[in-house]
Amino acid sequence: GAGVSQSPSNKVTEKGKDVELRCDPISGHTALYWYRQSLGQGLEFLIYFQGNSAPDKSGLPSDRFSAERTGGSVSTLTIQRTQQEDSAVYLCASTIMGGSGKTQYFGPGTRLLVL
Amino acid sequence: SQQGEEDPQALSIQEGENATMNCSYKTSINNLQWYRQNSGRGLVHLILIRSNEREKHSGRLRVTLDTSKKSSSLLITASRAADTASYFCATVLQTGANNLFFGTGTRLTVIP
C-alpha cells in the first residue's frame, strides 16, 4: 500500500512569500505529525493532529506557522511571510492512532529553501 | 529542551565491523525509538524500546536502555555498506502524547 506522501518535494521561495506544504497520510491513520529538520540539527516537533481533537500546536515556532487537517486526512502546513531561517526539510508522519508506543511512518519530506 | 543527543556525531567503520551509537536524553520517557534516514529520504522506524525494557533485538540490531542514566545504545552487528545512513534516537515522554523528540543523529559510513 502507499506510504505517507508529501508535496512538493522541493520548494524555493523568496523571503516574505507564503508557502503551503501538503501531507497525505497513510489511509486509515488517525494521527498526523509535522516535524522540521534544519541542516545539521535533529528533528523538531511542530504540531500533532489526532482524530477530531484539538491539535497540539506546542511545537510551532511562531504565529507565522499554521496547519490544518481537512476531513481527518490530508494536512497542509502553511508558513506565512517566510524567513531565511525557515529553510529546512519539513517531514510529515502518521500513525494508526494516537497515544504513545505507536510507530510513526514518515513521508519523504519537503525541502524548503527561502532565498 | 527535551531533545536528545547522539554520540558520536559521525562514525566510519569497515564492512563487517560492529557499529555502536549512543543516545542520551533529559526527561522521563514512555519509550525510545531509533530511526534511520538515508540521504535525501524520509525516516524509517527501526526499533522501539519501552521504559520498562532493558534490551531488545531485531535482526542485526540490538538496542539497550538504561533509564537510570537516561541513555540508550544502538548496536549494528556485521555492518554492511547498505547500512550507511544517519541514525536518530527519538523519545516519547510519559505525558501520553506521541510526538517524538529527536536527537541530532549519528552519521554512519560503512566502507566496503
Side-chain angles (χ1 to χ4, degrees):
Chain A
V4 177
S5 61
Q6 292 185 245
S7 61
S9 54
N10 290 282
K11 176 72 177 178
V12 180
T13 189
E14 292 179 350
K15 178 182 172 180
K17 296 282 181 69
D18 298 351
V19 295
E20 273 193 2
L21 312 179
R22 177 187 168 107
C23 171
D24 282 85
I26 293 173
S27 178
H29 280 195
T30 60
L32 186 148
Y33 305 78
W34 282 98
Y35 296 89
R36 176 169 72 173
Q37 185 177 26
S38 301
L39 187 65
Q41 308 260 346
L43 280 83
E44 175 187 4
F45 165 74
L46 298 177
I47 188 169
Y48 161 57
F49 295 90
Q50 168 53 31
N52 295 322
S53 302
D56 175 358
K57 303 179 182 180
S58 60
L60 294 178
S62 78
D63 58 8
R64 296 186 296 103
F65 288 73
S66 62
E68 289 185 340
R69 189 176 185 198
T70 54
S73 181
V74 172
S75 177
T76 55
L77 176 69
T78 301
I79 309 173
Q80 295 177 309
R81 304 181 303 281
T82 52
Q83 303 294 312
Q84 288 182 331
E85 61 263 28
D86 299 334
S87 296
V89 176
Y90 289 81
L91 290 157
C92 172
S94 69
T95 75
I96 194 162
M97 65 178 69
S100 59
K102 305 297 188 302
T103 298
Q104 296 189 16
Y105 295 87
F106 282 80
T110 293
R111 187 175 300 275
L112 174 66
L113 178 61
V114 181
L115 300 176
Chain B
S1 169
Q2 290 131 339
Q3 190 175 56
E5 292 184 5
E6 272 100 335
D7 166 54
Q9 291 188 329
L11 178 62
S12 184
I13 60 174
Q14 295 289 331
E15 200 166 30
E17 293 181 338
N18 296 341
T20 300
M21 289 160 271
N22 302 297
C23 166
S24 60
Y25 57 92
K26 297 179 181 177
T27 57
S28 296
I29 61 171
N30 177 284
N31 65 78
L32 184 145
Q33 304 176 28
W34 284 89
Y35 284 80
R36 165 198 166 120
Q37 185 178 37
N38 287 66
S39 181
R41 302 277 189 94
L43 285 91
V44 174
H45 180 264
L46 295 177
I47 197 165
L48 181 154
I49 186 166
R50 301 187 190 282
S51 60
N52 62 353
E53 298 176 309
R54 292 297 167 258
E55 188 170 313
K56 207 160 183 180
H57 297 251
S58 176
R60 294 184 295 112
L61 306 180
R62 181 171 78 96
V63 169
T64 62
L65 179 64
D66 187 336
T67 53
S68 66
K69 296 180 180 178
K70 291 187 169 59
S71 67
S72 173
S73 67
L74 171 68
L75 169 67
I76 304 174
T77 60
S79 63
R80 305 167 182 169
D83 294 330
T84 295
S86 291
Y87 292 82
F88 293 87
C89 72
T91 55
V92 175
L93 303 184
Q94 285 184 336
T95 57
N98 198 29
N99 43 295
L100 296 165
F101 293 92
F102 283 85
T104 50
T106 293
R107 176 68 189 169
L108 173 67
T109 301
V110 180
I111 303 167

